Amino acid sequence: LKKEAIKTLDNIEDMGFNAVFLQVISCSDAIYDSEIFPWSKYLTGNQGIAPENNFDPLEFFIEESHKRGIELHAWINSYRVTACPDDNNKLAKNNPAVINSDITVLHSDGKLYLNPGEPETRKLIVDGVKEILNNYDVDGIHLDDYFYPGKEFNDAKTYAKYGKDFNSINDWRINNNNLLIKEISETVHSIN
């Protein structure tokens, strides 16, 4: 991984780019040493298994990027728990979706998602951003998949619980995403 990272960053530097977006949270997991999320399966093949020799890929990418005058931005997939249905039963015991399965939704695509309507989901994502900012010298935070995966998302019970002030489930869903972005922005600006 170190060799790949160096080669990639050398190519990026040679092409004259000045920033890299590195996906650090893909499926309620992390490619950095996290107290909140398990290690990503994309590092070792199994979620929850740390890389050998205390290797921290995010730390390494930051150091190597900054050596080249390149910014390193942390890229987060906020709601996705699994990238394919086969992974639903392969989550690490310390995955937040396992610890608190009440904040997850099994979508019609067969994949698990954190439920954007649950306040605990927003707190989890914001806490992940805080953890990154407090422990790593990243130059930015970026989000991917901060939207509902479809209109048929199974969150009617959550809407009944929290959506009383909204005219429609769609307005409530939009507000949930807006709240997440607002809370992340406030967090980022309060820390750095």
Side-chain angles (χ1 to χ4, degrees):
L1 183 57
K2 287 180 180 180
K3 287 178 188 175
E4 263 185 59
I6 288 170
K7 181 179 178 184
T8 299
L9 291 169
D10 284 345
N11 287 338
I12 290 167
E13 182 182 27
D14 290 345
M15 290 185 284
F17 287 101
N18 63 0
V20 170
F21 290 21
L22 180 66
Q23 190 173 51
V24 299
I25 298 175
S26 174
C27 297
S28 289
D29 59 7
I31 67 152
Y32 60 91
D33 191 10
S34 174
E35 296 291 320
I36 300 170
F37 300 103
W39 284 101
S40 176
K41 77 170 192 168
Y42 298 109
L43 296 171
T44 62
N46 292 302
Q47 192 178 80
I49 305 296
E52 293 178 3
N53 303 316
N54 296 317
F55 176 58
D56 187 324
L58 177 55
E59 183 178 289
F60 184 78
F61 266 92
I62 291 168
E63 288 173 10
E64 291 297 320
S65 294
H66 289 175
K67 275 186 203 175
R68 293 162 175 77
I70 298 170
E71 292 182 357
L72 192 291
H73 296 236
W75 165 21
I76 298 166
N77 275 32
S78 50
Y79 300 136
R80 185 170 64 190
V81 176
T82 56
C84 67
D86 291 343
D87 289 340
N88 292 354
N89 296 317
K90 297 177 185 174
L91 299 174
K93 291 179 200 171
N94 63 330
N95 188 302
V98 173
I99 294 169
N100 187 2
S101 62
D102 291 343
I103 64 170
T104 65
V105 171
L106 179 62
H107 188 48
S108 60
D109 63 6
K111 298 183 268 186
L112 284 172
Y113 294 87
L114 296 173
N115 186 342
E118 289 289 346
E120 288 184 52
T121 292
R122 280 195 312 278
K123 183 180 181 329
L124 173 67
I125 296 164
V126 170
D127 286 349
V129 170
K130 284 180 193 173
E131 181 178 59
I132 293 167
L133 295 174
N134 286 327
N135 294 306
Y136 296 93
D137 186 22
V138 296
D139 300 295
I141 298 287
H142 294 270
L143 296 181
D144 193 7
D145 292 354
Y146 62 94
F147 50 81
Y148 284 74
K151 289 185 178 186
E152 70 285 351
F153 197 73
N154 186 10
D155 59 350
K157 288 180 185 175
T158 314
Y159 175 59
K161 186 175 180 180
Y162 298 111
K164 292 175 179 71
D165 295 335
F166 294 87
N167 294 326
S168 72
I169 195 168
N170 289 331
D171 289 347
W172 173 73
R173 287 174 174 170
I174 290 167
N175 187 66
N176 292 331
N177 287 331
N178 288 345
L179 286 172
L180 176 66
I181 300 305
K182 178 180 183 283
E183 290 175 22
I184 288 174
S185 176
E186 290 170 352
T187 299
V188 168
H189 289 96
S190 71
I191 294 174
N192 185 0

